[in-house]
Amino acid sequence: MEPLSALSIATSIVQFLDFTGKLISGSTKLYKSSNGTLAEHGDLSEAIQYLLVLSKDLDQPLRSKDPEQVAVYEQAIIGLARDTNHAAKELISTLEELKLKKNSRWESCLQALKTLWSQERINDLRSRVDGFRSQLSLNLIAAMRSEAFESHSNLKKDIDQLAHYTAEGFLKHIEESRQWQRTLAEEIRRYYRTESNYVDNVFVPSHLAQVGLESKARHFAKLMLSTLRFLGMIDRHDSIPKAHRKTFEWIFNDPEPQTTWTSFSSWLQSPSNLYWITGKPGSGKSTLMKFLYNDQRTYRLLSLSSTAPIVCSAFFFWNSGRSMQMSQEGLLQSLLHEMLSQCPEYAPIAFPEQWELFALLGHSPDFQPWTWSELVRGFHRLVDKVGTAKLFFFLIDGLDEYAGSHSELVKFLKDLLRYTNVKICTSSRPWVVFEDAFRSTPSLHVHELTYNDIVGFISAEFDESEGYRELYQEEPEYAAQLVSEIATKSSGVFLWVSIVVTSLLAGLSNGDRIVDLQKRLDELPADLENLFHKILDNLEPTYKKEASEIFQVFRASGNHITILGMMFADEYSPDQVIKHAVVEFPPNQLQPKLTRMRRRLNSRCRGLLEVAGGRGKLHNISIIQYLHRTVKDFIEEPSVWQKITAYAPVAYDPYLHLCLSVLMQLKTSRIDKSFTAVELLTAGISYSEAARKTADEIRITLLDQIHMSTQSQRLVTPLMLYSHISRHTSPVYGYCNSAGNANDFMRLMVCYRMTFYVRGKLEKGYSIKENHKAHDLISDAIAYSWCKDNSLDSTHFRNTGIVVQPDLELVKLLLDHGADPSKAVRMNVLSKAGDTASKAVYALLIPYCSKEVGKGNLKNKKEIHKKPRWLVSKFSRL
């Protein structure tokens, strides 16, 4: 008898378990019709022959090995083969006995078995089969690991042939491979939930190369990098101003004797693994961190302290950006993305669970949002297992801009200091939580060290002004004194200097005399908050209304809007947008509009809002941002915000103008990426829902035009949209086969709980019964309520883990206009909504179900199978 591998024997066990499972579940039919023709196995003889073949396979010996080398999982599989073979022989004997009963007409094997076996005996077999399946799945994983990662290291098999030895080849021999793939995948996930920090040594790059999995590991790394990437990941780095020439050069020099800061150059070369950069708001901390990240001297000095290659990762917290840019998840996804980009061979080490699912079962990593625990485990595995092979250098800017608990963030960073292959340079404002945590670490206060940098910056800016050059020729002593006075008054705050210099340059351009310049400087407050107040107070009266509208649009967008989006929101009325044709704007007409919008930002907002990238060329995707974090804090302070919004009419609706902007972008812009189109569509839906100051009729018209614009340009199909949504929540995935007509858009509006839209359409004669025969809207209204994320930051469905009460108003509206309650009753659409939500909706459904019973559409309580007992009892009385 030919010896078999453990995986081959396991294949026979699986085939027996699947066959027996069908047999005792009643799904194996013996007769198609009264003539006795068998449906699946021909007749009992064929079923017996099938079991006999399996029995022989189960009785074959394991491929010969030294008894001391037989692994535990192999012993377990041999034992399972012995037990299943015993069960197979028992079943064969029973089927042989059944053959003798001629002229019987059983519909299934289970029915036939019941003529010879008691229910207790059948239950016993069922229990044994379930037990075999559970034991086998655990040992199968071990067998597949061995086959894939260990036993072929000497065979040098080509990667294309490797599938024959691993789960891919194994699953090809199994009829119910999908079920077994789910079972094995869950076993892998369960294993790593239990052994969260475990990483097998066979995942190290050198071993993967030996067994021919190096190429597969590289492909896996690319997939993992895609899952770690998120929208706006590098926005903050790009938006930080580049350091002025010769600024911050002192950071690489030794401190002067009278100063108290720790030499950064010495720290880079020392065993010490944390350096804290702090300073006043606006003193240039982020610009310094970006300077250090981009300067090669940082890495040259680091290399003097270690022979290991340096892996540098940076993250810049940004509380004016998207939620991911101010979260711990964003921090770790960014760091991991940079780390694995530089050493992709370690991706299996960081994410062994996903690697095994990929290498053993062929499952590509999914795009579900990462959890904090998953990211932390991956991060620690990577740093720990790489060990001395790499030196990880992390630059983490703006700890104070993190949106969660700063104490927890500090705890996480300090926990990293236990690794000898990690160095961290971090920055924050001098808040107590950070001062207490970093008091004894090497550090510096930026505002104490930048006087000469500020003088250089002021001089360079003034030297480019014709008015200043004239002043210098006329009064060189005062001109020099002016530079020194500004630098002194700034107290090391670069942001203050930048604003003041802009103001003085405007005065010089306007021909201000010395006395005028001095008065202007003296009247400017020395602190940022009062300076911002003065800027707002000095707005020209005719500009205040427009400034208010721009600030409101910017904040309503979640502080994230392009200059193109702002231009459309600022310039176009609802009537203009609705009448505008679907035609691309010629570039020669668009650029002047963008340039004018930048001028409007400068003149109306006085520099408090700016276009990222400074004075460079404008692009459609150029982002508008606050001048600085301190500006955001000031503008969004409740009393200041109330003052700003009071400049505009009470009826002004920024969400309406954002919706108009989305529609204009869909009508006039070249949108090359489907992802961008989906983002625009979902944003338009969310903005229209939030535009509650605006009449429903206008909002409905805009939504219809958004739908028609995407369809006319074939920018977004419902399939793309539903696929986009289903990356965040699975219930929508089943509805991806729609054709993109108005009825499909109505379904989308129901999913988004756009009650005003649905009501408006129904009141104008839209028929649910005529347009939704294939699929009922009522189930959409119930099923998607649980996962709706109403925040405009994400503008799409997302499973937040929070049960949301279904929109009963929308459900009732649909029922009142002909939606079929029986379909909602028959579908288990409330399985994820929780008992409280289920009771509320079912209580609403009961009166409508009563009407359907009267019409004969619902017959009895069996229509509500597996529903709560309280509902069945109520329904039985209808």
Side-chain angles (χ1 to χ4, degrees):
M1 188 179 295
E2 179 67 25
L4 298 177
S5 70
L7 206 54
S8 298
I9 295 174
T11 303
S12 299
I13 298 174
V14 167
Q15 290 171 329
F16 169 75
L17 294 178
D18 286 343
F19 175 77
T20 308
K22 286 183 178 180
L23 188 151
I24 60 179
S25 70
S27 62
T28 302
K29 303 294 183 182
L30 289 181
Y31 295 105
K32 278 184 178 177
S33 61
S34 58
N35 67 6
T37 304
L38 291 171
E40 292 194 5
H41 293 288
D43 54 19
L44 285 173
S45 297
E46 187 171 327
I48 292 167
Q49 288 301 313
Y50 182 72
L51 284 171
L52 284 170
V53 171
L54 288 179
S55 178
K56 287 180 182 179
D57 288 341
L58 292 169
D59 203 30
Q60 293 189 65
L62 188 68
R63 185 183 292 139
S64 58
K65 273 190 176 184
D66 185 329
E68 294 184 359
Q69 295 181 344
V70 176
V72 174
Y73 74 84
E74 291 176 313
Q75 295 174 357
I77 289 175
I78 293 170
L80 278 170
R82 189 184 308 114
D83 293 341
T84 52
N85 193 23
H86 178 75
K89 289 178 179 178
E90 182 183 0
L91 198 54
I92 289 169
S93 175
T94 302
L95 293 179
E96 291 279 7
E97 190 175 347
L98 286 170
K99 277 180 62 179
L100 300 177
K101 294 194 173 189
K102 300 184 182 295
N103 301 321
S104 298
R105 288 293 181 267
W106 301 299
E107 292 184 0
S108 69
C109 279
L110 176 61
Q111 192 180 69
L113 277 177
K114 286 182 177 180
T115 64
L116 295 179
W117 286 9
S118 66
Q119 185 62 47
E120 183 179 357
R121 188 175 179 185
I122 292 172
N123 289 343
D124 177 66
L125 178 60
R126 183 180 290 117
S127 177
R128 286 156 62 196
V129 166
D130 290 342
F132 293 154
R133 188 183 298 272
S134 178
Q135 294 175 56
L136 181 60
S137 62
L138 180 62
N139 290 287
L140 267 175
I141 298 299
M144 289 188 290
R145 285 175 180 147
S146 176
E147 293 286 342
F149 303 138
E150 296 175 5
S151 60
H152 302 287
S153 58
N154 296 322
L155 297 179
K156 303 295 184 184
K157 292 291 181 181
D158 185 85
I159 188 65
D160 294 330
Q161 299 174 346
L162 187 62
H164 174 71
Y165 297 94
T166 59
E168 294 176 30
F170 162 73
L171 291 169
K172 287 178 182 177
H173 299 289
I174 302 172
E175 184 178 353
E176 301 294 334
S177 63
R178 285 189 178 181
Q179 177 58 44
W180 275 97
Q181 282 206 28
R182 286 194 291 269
T183 300
L184 296 176
E186 181 53 36
E187 191 62 49
I188 290 173
R189 295 187 183 100
R190 186 185 298 113
Y191 177 79
Y192 283 103
R193 282 196 295 268
T194 306
E195 301 289 339
S196 60
N197 295 319
Y198 173 79
V199 180
D200 199 311
N201 287 329
V202 298
F203 294 170
V204 299
S206 57
H207 186 85
L208 292 178
Q210 286 180 2
V211 297
L213 287 173
E214 189 176 18
S215 175
K216 195 164 193 174
R218 283 197 298 269
H219 181 51
F220 172 72
K222 290 181 180 179
L223 294 173
M224 293 307 297
L225 288 173
S226 297
T227 68
L228 291 168
R229 192 177 299 115
F230 61 86
L231 190 64
M233 192 166 71
I234 62 171
D235 283 359
R236 175 54 175 158
H237 171 272
D238 292 347
S239 69
I240 296 171
K242 185 179 178 182
H244 191 267
R245 60 182 182 273
K246 296 185 179 181
T247 302
F248 299 132
E249 289 293 323
W250 49 265
I251 192 75
F252 293 113
N253 300 326
D254 291 331
E256 297 292 332
Q258 69 274 18
T259 56
T260 58
W261 64 286
T262 308
S263 169
F264 187 74
S265 296
S266 298
W267 174 79
L268 288 173
Q269 302 170 66
S270 73
S272 175
N273 51 8
L274 180 67
Y275 196 101
W276 180 41
I277 293 174
T278 187
K280 294 179 180 179
S283 58
K285 298 182 294 296
S286 295
T287 305
L288 174 57
M289 291 289 282
K290 181 176 180 178
F291 173 77
L292 293 172
Y293 179 58
N294 293 333
D295 198 295
Q296 289 303 309
R297 287 171 290 184
T298 301
Y299 308 105
R300 284 201 298 270
L301 290 168
L302 268 175
S303 65
L304 297 177
S305 67
S306 173
T307 57
I310 297 164
V311 176
C312 180
S313 299
F315 183 71
F316 298 81
F317 279 108
W318 194 19
N319 79 343
S320 298
R322 301 173 185 270
S323 59
M324 283 293 286
Q325 294 167 312
M326 58 183 92
S327 69
Q328 280 186 308
E329 289 80 8
L331 166 67
L332 283 194
Q333 284 185 225
S334 291
L335 295 182
L336 280 166
H337 187 277
E338 283 200 78
M339 294 159 76
L340 292 179
S341 294
Q342 296 170 64
C343 43
E345 66 275 15
Y346 287 98
I349 290 284
F351 301 107
E353 175 185 322
Q354 290 84 352
W355 165 242
E356 288 203 341
L357 290 170
F358 177 72
L360 299 182
L361 302 179
H363 291 187
S364 294
D366 61 40
F367 284 83
Q368 292 294 325
W370 285 95
T371 66
W372 172 244
S373 58
E374 287 174 329
L375 293 167
V376 168
R377 287 199 298 269
F379 190 86
H380 281 290
R381 286 192 194 112
L382 181 55
V383 173
D384 182 45
K385 284 293 181 179
V386 168
T388 57
K390 306 282 184 184
L391 173 63
F392 292 106
F393 180 53
F394 302 125
L395 289 119
I396 303 173
D397 175 57
L399 301 184
D400 51 282
E401 301 202 38
Y402 169 55
S405 166
H406 294 106
S407 297
E408 289 298 317
L409 181 58
V410 166
K411 182 179 177 182
F412 169 73
L413 294 179
K414 284 201 160 186
D415 189 44
L416 297 181
L417 301 183
R418 59 190 167 96
Y419 297 111
T420 58
N421 61 335
V422 166
K423 287 180 83 75
I424 301 172
C425 176
T426 188
S427 73
S428 73
R429 293 182 180 181
W431 290 357
V432 173
V433 62
F434 303 123
E435 287 185 334
D436 289 346
F438 306 137
R439 191 182 305 279
S440 60
T441 63
S443 63
L444 64 81
H445 289 71
V446 178
H447 59 271
E448 296 177 353
L449 303 168
T450 53
Y451 180 85
N452 291 333
D453 292 338
I454 289 173
V455 169
F457 169 77
I458 298 169
S459 298
E461 292 293 301
F462 279 171
D463 286 346
E464 293 181 6
S465 165
E466 182 65 29
Y468 180 79
R469 289 196 295 269
E470 292 172 356
L471 174 66
Y472 192 85
Q473 288 179 349
E474 181 182 354
E475 294 285 347
E477 185 176 341
Y478 176 76
Q481 178 186 331
L482 182 63
V483 171
S484 176
E485 190 173 346
I486 296 170
T488 301
K489 192 173 181 178
S490 73
S491 298
V493 179
F494 255 109
L495 177 62
W496 185 91
V497 173
S498 177
I499 295 172
V500 168
V501 166
T502 300
S503 175
L504 293 175
L505 286 174
L508 287 167
S509 297
N510 294 336
D512 281 7
R513 301 162 299 176
I514 290 177
V515 65
D516 300 323
L517 291 172
Q518 190 62 47
K519 181 181 178 182
R520 185 186 289 260
L521 178 60
D522 291 342
E523 289 179 350
L524 290 174
D527 64 290
L528 285 173
E529 183 174 349
N530 285 324
L531 179 61
F532 297 152
H533 272 295
K534 188 170 182 64
I535 289 173
L536 284 182
D537 292 341
N538 287 347
L539 281 174
E540 292 185 29
T542 55
Y543 287 170
K544 286 186 176 181
K545 171 181 173 292
E546 295 171 7
S548 174
E549 292 172 354
I550 291 172
F551 277 121
Q552 288 189 63
V553 167
F554 179 70
R555 191 172 181 187
S557 74
N559 300 343
H560 193 88
I561 187 171
T562 63
I563 189 168
L564 178 70
M566 182 63 82
M567 183 271 291
F568 284 134
D570 181 60
E571 188 168 324
Y572 287 82
S573 68
D575 190 54
Q576 288 175 302
V577 173
I578 290 168
K579 292 179 179 179
H580 203 286
V582 179
V583 58
E584 185 180 348
F585 252 128
N588 62 338
Q589 293 182 23
L590 189 59
Q591 267 300 316
K593 288 179 176 291
L594 298 181
T595 302
R596 182 170 64 249
M597 188 66 239
R598 178 159 63 182
R599 290 199 186 102
R600 287 176 63 79
L601 278 177
N602 292 337
S603 60
R604 273 64 176 177
C605 303
R606 298 293 297 271
L608 299 180
L609 290 180
E610 64 174 5
V611 180
R615 304 168 187 171
K617 182 181 178 181
L618 290 172
H619 301 280
N620 291 5
I621 59 173
S622 295
I623 297 294
I624 293 173
Q625 62 186 17
Y626 283 119
L627 175 64
H628 190 265
R629 154 80 184 280
T630 52
V631 176
K632 177 184 186 295
D633 294 342
F634 170 76
I635 293 292
E636 297 183 6
E637 198 277 323
S639 62
V640 175
W641 185 248
Q642 184 179 9
K643 178 179 178 180
I644 290 172
T645 54
Y647 293 154
V650 175
Y652 181 76
D653 191 340
Y655 295 105
L656 167 64
H657 288 269
L658 284 166
C659 190
L660 295 173
S661 174
V662 166
L663 180 52
M664 280 299 290
Q665 289 177 72
L666 288 170
K667 283 186 171 186
T668 65
S669 303
R670 175 179 294 176
I671 300 174
D672 298 322
K673 295 182 179 179
S674 61
F675 179 79
T676 304
V678 170
E679 285 289 320
L680 282 172
L681 177 53
T682 52
I685 293 170
S686 292
Y687 292 142
S688 66
E689 195 275 337
R692 293 169 189 167
K693 291 183 179 180
T694 302
D696 287 352
E697 185 177 356
I698 294 176
R699 293 196 287 167
I700 292 170
T701 300
L702 292 176
L703 282 170
D704 285 338
Q705 289 222 345
I706 286 173
H707 170 60
M708 288 186 289
S709 297
T710 57
Q711 292 304 306
S712 64
Q713 296 196 66
R714 303 189 65 82
L715 293 174
V716 180
T717 65
L719 175 62
M720 289 160 50
L721 181 60
Y722 288 135
S723 297
H724 167 74
I725 294 172
S726 64
R727 288 182 307 162
H728 301 273
T729 178
S730 57
V732 190
Y733 188 75
Y735 303 120
C736 291
N737 58 349
S738 50
N741 55 36
N743 297 337
D744 297 318
F745 192 70
M746 174 63 92
R747 281 192 59 202
L748 192 61
M749 295 295 95
V750 170
C751 291
Y752 269 89
R753 303 201 303 182
M754 305 292 280
T755 306
F756 76 90
Y757 181 92
V758 177
R759 181 187 296 107
K761 289 294 183 180
L762 292 175
E763 289 176 352
K764 288 195 173 183
Y766 185 91
S767 172
I768 293 177
K769 290 186 176 180
E770 290 181 11
N771 295 310
H772 295 275
K773 294 178 181 179
H775 186 90
D776 60 301
L777 291 176
I778 193 70
S779 296
D780 287 334
I782 298 171
Y784 299 117
S785 296
W786 72 277
C787 62
K788 179 66 163 55
D789 177 4
N790 287 308
S791 67
L792 293 177
D793 178 55
S794 56
T795 63
H796 48 229
F797 284 106
R798 180 176 64 181
N799 183 0
T800 60
I802 301 172
V803 174
V804 179
Q805 180 72 24
D807 189 336
L808 299 181
E809 181 188 359
L810 177 59
V811 174
K812 188 176 186 304
L813 179 65
L814 294 171
L815 290 169
D816 287 340
H817 285 81
D820 185 355
S822 65
K823 291 183 179 179
V825 169
R826 292 187 184 109
M827 292 178 63
N828 194 21
V829 294
L830 284 171
S831 60
K832 296 187 178 182
D835 289 342
T836 302
S838 296
K839 287 187 177 184
V841 174
Y842 280 129
L844 182 62
L845 287 172
I846 285 173
Y848 295 91
C849 290
S850 177
K851 295 177 183 178
E852 294 301 313
V853 170
K855 298 175 184 176
N857 295 331
L858 280 173
K859 295 181 176 60
N860 53 48
K861 66 182 180 182
K862 292 182 180 178
E863 293 284 359
I864 319 181
H865 58 86
K866 297 181 181 179
K867 296 299 181 284
R869 189 173 299 173
W870 63 269
L871 179 64
V872 174
S873 63
K874 284 189 176 183
F875 194 83
S876 64
R877 295 195 294 269
L878 295 179

